[in-house]
């Protein structure tokens, strides 16, 4: 519990960011939530390049990933991460409005760790975000640092 | 008239029989001379004997007669034999006429013949020599190659007949006077008979050879000759003999005898003439009948020939046209008169002629009786105006190797061809149209897919934001007054309902787009599972479930499950006001039908049958949201899925009594309206 864990949220919609952050922060088990607005930015973040060049060398406990985003979308980013030796061990949870079977299938084939459809009802949404946070940050054992 | 083949065979056999008879008698006489047997030499002691050289001549003539009518090769043995016979006759005649004696009379049995004595020992009678010469010469002519001279041989035979008959008659009537004529001299009984037989056989042999002989003619003349002539001659002979014996016995005088004979002869000849005439009449009637039948059958054939729709063209060995029927005239635009005798090639386009003739020739070589033409590709005809046109034809051959006819039966298939081409063109057009339409549909489908993808993402997000921010407001403001709280709840509920609507709509559109995966499905078991899965919807209520037997159906598992879920869920919903709900799922018993009809029946609030048409429409609802919640998409999905399976959906109800929803499914998978995509 004392381990410093942080979460990366990849989401383009500021309202979703606000609601998600609000929910995650409400329960104080996440020290740090970094937000990037599209897949390209997320890659820069994960590879610590560009404006993220100075970041300390550590991976997030989990990446919460939206699918529909400008520039590089979530599936693109997922594909990139899972085919990259350094990034593929990072747990990825798709957090999306999409209920399309095709998307679900693609994501699981690419090796996603969880796929969550954001419920319209806020109470359910809040519950989902909370549970994701608790599970991946507190319950789940991260991969060993190489 | 051509000869009657049966008569030819009979006469041939008779002539050969006569030849055999002559050989046997001749050999017996020679045996008689060898062992001095009077019976064989003279028949009766005291009468003249048959001389050895005459016996040899008869044997030779017999051999010639035996061989000749068999139809074997000419010349050779028969010619040699008959020449020897003629020579023996001629030499003997010369002996008589010139008083010259070359010694041929005593070549055989010299001692015996000398002992018999007489003016010229061993010499046969003049008549015998003469008859041998006649018959020998006639047989010689017949033995020569070729058929010419057969008539001459017949004349010689005919001339020999009465002469030999006179000798036989003389002996039979015992006319001494006849014997005293030097011509006949002392002719032996069997010599006379053999001469008669020989002459008759010569006539027959000549008749067999000569195809135009009246004796063997199959016509009326031949019949008359064969009937009347031998019978009248025989009648005269018999009557004359009777008269002679009667007179000698003193039964009547010469005058009376003559009168009786003339009367009898008149009667017999009249009867013979009558019988012959009646026979000829019958033959004539039969022939006329045959001719009539022939004419009728010919007319019928001609009628057929003239009336058929197919062109009939018959050609001979040289491919010259011998028959050209009216249909052919019409097809080729040429008249019969113009075409008879013309080469068949005239009806075939120039460029196909050589090929065509080769094929006909090949067909002739196969010996098949018929086959369809055009096995080597399409065949064409050529009209008088130079127009080429496609034909369909069969060719047949008939007749003997020397007289072969080829008949081509053909029809002009220009029209059919045109129709076929039109069909092909239309098919191609249709196919093209289908391809275009499919492409359009695919494009529309793609569009729809991306549309629903967008809807799924972008339409739901704002709703979530609405509920999310309401929550934030609530958190921020803490305690709210009742009215504000209610209003915020309404906003949240509306957003939530909007979400449900979007989800249902997307599901509905997915049902239209997803391909049907056919499997065998047990709907009764499926209904049982659904009832269990829906338990949260009727927790605490009293519902009597009945699931009857449902035959196996073919369909998409997920889609049919949605159908049953929607119907059962509806039944649960609309029986909510009933203290004791009864919901039944089962199949309508239909023995013969290819379809299975399934129903879901409840005792709920039902609906007004006036609005039954609206029931299965999208967003169509028969109840207010206050009464029963819902999006109005469930039954639309049901109808869409069932119709995609090739089935039907309908419903019956009585308000406040209950409702029954039906859907039918084909027992076997079939390409329904959207069965194939």
């Amino acid at each position: 519990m004392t381990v410093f864990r942080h979460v990366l949220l990849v989401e383009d919609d500021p309202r979703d960011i606000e609601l998600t952050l609000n929910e995650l922060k409400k329960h104080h088990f996440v020290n740090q939530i970094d937000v990037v607005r599209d897949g390209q930015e997320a890659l820069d973040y994960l590879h610590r390049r560009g404006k993220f060049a100075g970041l300390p060398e550590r991976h997030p406990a989990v990446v919460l990933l939206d699918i529909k985003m400008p520039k590089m979308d979530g599936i693109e980013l997922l594909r990139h991460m899972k085919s990259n030796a350094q990034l593929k061990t990072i747990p990825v949870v798709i957090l999306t409005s999409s209920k399309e079977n095709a998307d679900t299938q693609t994501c699981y084939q690419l090796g996603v760790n969880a796929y969550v459809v954001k419920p319209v009802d806020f109470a359910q949404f809040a519950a989902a975000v909370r549970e994701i946070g608790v599970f991946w940050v507190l319950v789940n054992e991260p991969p060993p640092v190489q | 008239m051509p000869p009657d083949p049966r008569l030819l065979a009979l006469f041939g056999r008779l002539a050969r029989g006569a030849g055999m008879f002559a050989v046997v008698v001749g050999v017996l006489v020679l045996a008689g001379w060898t062992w001095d047997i009077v019976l064989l030499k003279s028949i009766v002691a005291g009468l003249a004997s048959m001389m050895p050289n005459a016996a040899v001549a008869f044997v030779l003539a017999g051999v010639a007669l035996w061989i000749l009518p068999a139809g074997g090769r000419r010349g050779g043995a028969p010619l040699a034999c008959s020449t020897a016979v003629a020579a023996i006759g001629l030499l003997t005649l010369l002996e008589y006429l010139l008083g010259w004696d070359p010694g041929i009379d005593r070549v055989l049995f010299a001692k015996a013949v000398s002992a018999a004595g007489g003016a010229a020992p061993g010499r046969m009678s003049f008549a015998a020599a003469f008859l041998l010469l006649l018959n020998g010469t006639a047989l010689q002519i017949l033995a020569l190659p070729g058929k010419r001279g057969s008539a001459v041989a017949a004349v010689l035979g005919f001339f020999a007949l009465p002469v030999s008959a006179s000798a036989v008659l003389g002996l039979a009537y015992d006319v001494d006077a006849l014997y005293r004529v030097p011509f006949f001299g002392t002719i032996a009984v069997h010599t006379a008979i053999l001469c008669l037989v020989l002459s008759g056989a010569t006539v027959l042999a000549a008749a067999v050879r000569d195809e135009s002989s009246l004796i063997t003619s199959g016509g009326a003349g031949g019949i008359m000759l064969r009937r009347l002539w031998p019978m009248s001659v025989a009648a005269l002979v018999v009557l004359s003999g009777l008269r002679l014996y009667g007179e000698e016995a003193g039964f009547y005088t010469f005058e009376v005898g003559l009168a009786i004979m003339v009367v009898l002869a008149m009667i017999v000849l009249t009867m013979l003439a009558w019988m012959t005439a009646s026979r000829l009449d019958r033959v004539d009637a039969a022939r006329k009948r045959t001719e009539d039948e022939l004419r009728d059958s010919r007319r019928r054939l001609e009628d057929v020939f003239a009336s058929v729709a197919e062109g009939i063209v018959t050609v001979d060995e040289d491919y010259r046209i011998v028959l050209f029927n009216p249909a052919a005239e019409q097809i080729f635009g040429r008249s019969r008169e113009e075409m008879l005798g013309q080469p068949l090639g005239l009806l075939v386009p120039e460029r196909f002629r050589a090929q065509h003739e080769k094929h006909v020739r090949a067909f002739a070589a196969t010996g098949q009786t018929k086959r369809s033409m055009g096995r080597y590709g399409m065949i064409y005809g050529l009209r008088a105006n130079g127009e080429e046109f496609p034909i369909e034809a069969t060719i047949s051959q008939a007749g003997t190797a020397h007289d072969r006819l080829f008949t081509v039966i053909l029809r002009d298939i220009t029209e059919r061809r045109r129709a076929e081409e039109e069909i092909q063109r239309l098919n191609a057009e249709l196919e093209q149209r289908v391809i275009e339409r499919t492409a359009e549909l695919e494009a529309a489908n793609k569009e729809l897919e991306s549309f629903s993808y967008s809807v799924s993402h972008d339409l739901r997000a704002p709703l979530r934001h609405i509920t999310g921010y309401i929550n934030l407001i609530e958190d921020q403001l803490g305690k709210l007054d009742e009215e504000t709280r209610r209003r915020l709840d309404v906003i949240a509920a509306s957003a939530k309902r909007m979400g449900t609507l979007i989800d249902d709509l997307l599901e509905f559109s997915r049902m239209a787009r997803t391909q049907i995966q056919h499997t065998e499905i047990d709907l009764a078991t499926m209904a049982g599972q659904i009832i269990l899965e829906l338990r949260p919807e009727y927790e605490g209520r009293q519902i009597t479930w009945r699931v009857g037997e449902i035959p196996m159906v073919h369909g998409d598992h997920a889609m049919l499950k949605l159908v049953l879920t929607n119907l059962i869920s509806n039944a649960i919903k609309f029986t909510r006001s009933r203290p004791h709900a009864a919901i039944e799922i089962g199949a309508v018993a239909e023995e013969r039908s290819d379809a299975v009809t399934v129903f879901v029946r409840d005792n709920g609030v039902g609906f007004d049958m006036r609005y039954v048409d609206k029931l299965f429409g999208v967003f169509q609802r028969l109840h207010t949201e206050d009464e029963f919640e819902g999006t109005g998409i469930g039954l639309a999905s049901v109808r869409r899925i069932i119709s995609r399976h090739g089935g039907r959906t309908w419903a019956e109800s009585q308000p406040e009594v209950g409702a029954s929803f039906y859907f039918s499914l084909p027992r076997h998978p079939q390409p329904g309206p959207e069965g194939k995509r």
Side-chain angles (χ1 to χ4, degrees):
Chain A
M1 294 277 179
T2 52
V3 185
F4 256 27
R5 306 300 301 277
H6 74 285
V7 170
L8 176 64
L9 175 63
V10 188
E11 169 73 68
D12 63 322
D13 190 322
R15 287 146 296 199
D16 272 321
I17 295 172
E18 185 181 352
L19 291 169
T20 311
L21 287 183
N22 196 57
E23 192 55 35
L24 283 176
K25 282 177 179 161
K26 205 190 270 178
H27 302 285
H28 308 293
F29 54 81
V30 186
N31 308 67
Q32 184 186 338
I33 303 166
D34 293 333
V35 181
V36 288
R37 305 294 292 268
D38 62 55
Q40 193 52 56
E41 222 179 296
L43 268 189
D44 288 349
Y45 175 93
L46 291 169
H47 286 296
R48 292 183 301 282
R49 63 192 181 199
K51 62 177 176 178
F52 301 106
L55 284 182
E57 192 176 329
R58 48 171 198 164
H59 286 320
V62 63
V63 176
L64 302 180
L65 186 57
D66 187 22
I67 287 184
K68 256 192 108 195
M69 288 182 298
K71 296 186 205 163
M72 186 185 282
D73 70 11
I75 290 175
E76 229 11 68
L77 176 63
L78 178 67
R79 194 190 309 279
H80 188 98
M81 286 178 70
K82 291 302 176 184
S83 60
N84 182 296
Q86 289 168 354
L87 305 182
K88 72 177 174 192
T89 54
I90 304 172
V92 177
V93 174
I94 295 283
L95 199 58
T96 178
S97 309
S98 169
K99 221 181 171 181
E100 288 295 310
N101 282 338
D103 280 351
T104 327
Q105 207 173 353
T106 315
C107 290
Y108 275 109
Q109 267 165 3
L110 289 174
V112 76
N113 300 74
Y115 191 102
V116 177
V117 178
K118 293 182 234 174
V120 170
D121 183 70
F122 182 76
Q124 291 172 26
F125 174 73
V129 170
R130 199 165 56 240
E131 279 160 21
I132 290 165
V134 169
F135 180 81
W136 290 104
V137 178
L138 300 181
V139 180
N140 187 47
E141 192 64 40
V145 180
Q146 285 154 353
Chain B
M1 290 292 279
D4 183 337
R6 281 176 311 170
L7 281 176
L8 286 180
L10 175 66
F11 287 0
R13 278 203 302 275
L14 281 175
R16 302 187 76 201
M20 176 63 87
F21 181 65
V23 170
V24 169
V25 172
V27 169
L28 283 175
V29 169
L30 289 174
W33 280 104
T34 309
W35 291 292
D36 192 22
I37 303 166
V38 176
L39 176 70
L40 296 180
K41 289 193 291 186
S42 317
I43 312 293
V44 179
L47 290 180
S49 305
M50 188 193 289
M51 288 308 148
N53 52 3
V56 168
F58 283 128
V59 170
L60 293 172
V63 169
L65 272 172
W66 177 257
I67 298 172
L68 270 180
R73 58 192 177 84
R74 306 290 159 186
L79 186 60
C81 288
S82 50
T83 306
V85 171
I88 289 169
L90 183 65
L91 286 174
T92 308
L93 284 183
L94 290 176
E95 281 178 343
Y96 275 112
L97 296 175
L98 303 177
W100 167 59
D101 185 4
I104 60 155
D105 300 338
R106 290 175 304 281
V107 171
L108 294 165
F109 310 107
K111 233 194 322 204
V113 296
S114 301
R123 183 177 301 174
M124 68 180 85
S125 66
F126 188 90
F130 178 66
L131 290 169
L132 282 178
L133 175 58
L134 284 182
N135 283 312
T137 310
L139 291 175
Q140 257 184 306
I141 292 170
L142 292 178
L144 284 170
K147 290 193 172 182
R148 288 189 314 165
S150 297
V152 177
V155 168
L156 289 175
F158 270 117
F159 186 58
L161 260 182
V163 175
S164 50
S166 317
V168 174
L169 281 180
L171 290 171
Y173 296 169
D174 197 15
V175 184
D176 288 345
L178 203 64
Y179 273 113
R180 276 175 224 120
V181 175
F183 176 75
F184 289 104
T186 51
I187 190 163
V189 175
H190 40 357
T191 302
I193 293 172
L194 271 191
C195 281
L196 182 60
V197 169
L198 203 56
S199 306
T202 302
V203 169
L204 293 179
V208 169
R209 249 345 255 298
D210 183 2
E211 278 170 6
S212 60
S213 167
L214 204 53
I215 301 176
T216 54
S217 161
I223 292 171
M224 198 184 73
L225 180 66
R226 285 190 301 273
R227 293 214 131 206
L228 209 51
W229 179 63
M231 295 291 275
S232 52
V233 167
L236 282 176
V237 167
V238 170
L239 287 175
S240 308
L242 288 175
R243 181 192 150 208
L244 203 59
Y245 282 119
E247 260 178 46
E248 276 178 0
F251 293 146
Y252 39 73
T253 62
F254 171 75
E255 292 78 7
V256 175
L258 187 62
I260 292 173
M261 186 192 136
V262 168
V263 170
L264 283 179
M266 276 163 59
I267 293 171
V268 169
L269 290 179
T270 305
M271 275 172 58
L272 276 177
W274 194 271
M275 281 161 61
T276 307
S278 116
R279 170 77 200 274
L280 284 180
D281 228 33
R282 280 205 303 279
V283 169
D284 207 35
R287 180 163 40 231
K288 184 137 174 16
R289 217 162 36 241
T290 315
E291 274 171 8
D292 285 351
E293 277 166 15
L294 217 62
R295 203 175 45 241
D296 283 352
S297 102
R298 193 188 156 85
R299 189 179 307 137
R300 277 197 292 275
L301 275 179
E302 272 170 2
D303 284 350
V304 171
F305 184 69
S307 62
V308 290
E310 282 80 9
I312 300 178
V313 180
T314 298
V315 295
D316 60 15
E317 283 271 83
D318 303 322
Y319 308 111
R320 302 242 160 222
I321 295 169
V322 293
L323 280 175
F324 201 73
N325 80 337
E329 289 183 325
Q330 207 168 18
I331 290 172
F332 288 101
R334 293 173 183 275
S335 75
R336 199 175 82 87
E337 290 74 23
E338 165 191 2
M339 289 315 291
L340 290 185
Q342 295 295 317
L344 181 61
L346 221 58
L347 303 176
V348 180
E350 187 102 39
R351 58 204 170 98
F352 294 122
R353 261 174 220 170
Q355 195 67 8
H356 172 75
E357 203 162 302
K358 210 177 84 192
H359 289 151
V360 173
R361 207 158 280 152
F363 167 65
T366 62
Q368 282 177 295
T369 46
K370 57 176 181 286
R371 82 172 178 207
S372 61
M373 296 173 87
R375 51 165 52 187
Y376 306 105
M378 198 61 218
I379 52 173
Y380 293 88
L382 181 66
R383 281 193 241 276
N385 60 12
E387 182 192 343
E388 279 182 23
F389 60 102
I391 58 176
E392 187 182 75
T394 56
I395 184 168
S396 58
Q397 55 182 322
T400 60
H402 307 293
D403 181 23
R404 200 169 2 198
L405 290 178
F406 299 98
T407 298
V408 177
I409 298 184
L410 57 98
R411 68 172 79 204
D412 182 349
I413 54 168
T414 310
E415 274 313 307
R416 195 208 299 171
R417 249 328 195 46
R418 202 168 292 159
E420 280 169 4
E421 278 165 11
E422 180 68 14
I423 288 170
Q424 252 167 21
R425 197 182 59 73
L426 285 176
N427 268 344
E429 208 177 285
L430 203 66
E431 222 158 276
Q432 185 54 37
R433 214 176 295 167
V434 166
I435 290 170
E436 284 168 12
R437 193 57 56 85
T438 308
E440 277 170 29
L441 276 174
E442 269 165 9
N445 215 33
K446 267 261 159 55
E447 225 164 80
L448 201 66
E449 235 156 72
S450 65
F451 168 74
S452 78
Y453 190 84
S454 293
V455 167
S456 159
H457 268 93
D458 299 350
L459 252 54
R460 285 158 57 89
L463 298 174
R464 199 171 55 246
H465 299 154
I466 292 171
T467 58
Y469 280 91
I470 286 171
N471 197 267
L472 288 185
I473 290 168
E474 284 172 345
D475 280 1
Q476 218 171 344
L477 295 181
K479 184 101 176 86
L480 289 170
D481 65 284
E482 196 71 4
E483 189 57 17
T484 311
R485 158 125 256 136
R486 189 187 66 78
R487 287 177 182 167
L488 285 175
D489 280 351
V490 168
I491 296 172
S494 289
K496 201 175 152 189
R497 180 168 150 69
M498 179 97 186
T500 315
L501 269 171
I502 290 169
D503 283 350
D504 284 1
L505 257 183
L506 288 177
E507 187 67 28
F508 179 67
S509 91
R510 212 194 318 277
M511 283 308 136
R513 287 178 289 125
T514 320
Q515 190 155 359
I516 294 179
Q517 308 283 340
H518 275 283
T519 51
E520 201 165 58
I521 295 164
D522 177 0
L523 285 177
T525 307
M526 186 187 269
Q529 287 169 357
I530 291 168
I531 291 168
L532 283 179
E533 283 167 18
L534 291 179
R535 190 184 290 275
E537 289 187 20
Y538 58 91
E539 201 72 71
R541 284 180 50 199
Q542 201 173 8
I543 298 181
T544 311
W545 292 100
R546 260 178 57 198
V547 179
E549 273 183 34
I550 303 175
M552 297 297 275
V553 295
H554 281 271
D556 186 289
H557 192 273
M559 290 192 190
L560 291 185
K561 183 159 184 185
L562 187 72
V563 166
L564 270 187
T565 305
N566 282 348
L567 291 178
I568 294 172
S569 174
N570 270 356
I572 294 170
K573 184 159 70 184
F574 292 104
T575 52
R576 197 155 51 197
S577 53
R578 297 289 182 268
H580 297 286
I583 299 173
E584 185 184 356
I585 299 120
V588 178
E590 275 175 312
E591 291 270 315
R592 292 170 295 112
S593 176
D594 286 343
V596 176
T597 300
V598 181
F599 64 84
V600 177
R601 186 172 295 148
D602 65 56
N603 62 343
V605 296
F607 59 86
D608 191 334
M609 280 299 274
R610 273 182 297 178
Y611 306 114
V612 71
D613 291 342
K614 291 189 165 186
L615 209 55
F616 291 95
V618 187
F619 292 137
Q620 295 288 347
R621 306 207 60 225
L622 298 187
H623 300 275
T624 62
E625 183 70 19
D626 291 344
E627 290 176 297
F628 295 103
E629 72 289 345
T631 54
I633 288 173
L635 285 179
S637 282
V638 166
R639 170 157 284 183
R640 173 165 281 185
I641 290 167
I642 295 302
S643 111
R644 284 195 61 191
H645 279 76
R648 260 177 356 104
T649 35
W650 67 99
E652 286 165 5
S653 174
Q654 227 176 314
E656 295 310 317
V657 175
S660 299
F661 288 84
Y662 298 90
F663 64 88
S664 67
L665 282 174
R667 271 178 211 266
H668 307 289
Q670 60 176 48
E674 289 180 65
K676 232 172 97 181
R677 273 163 48 116

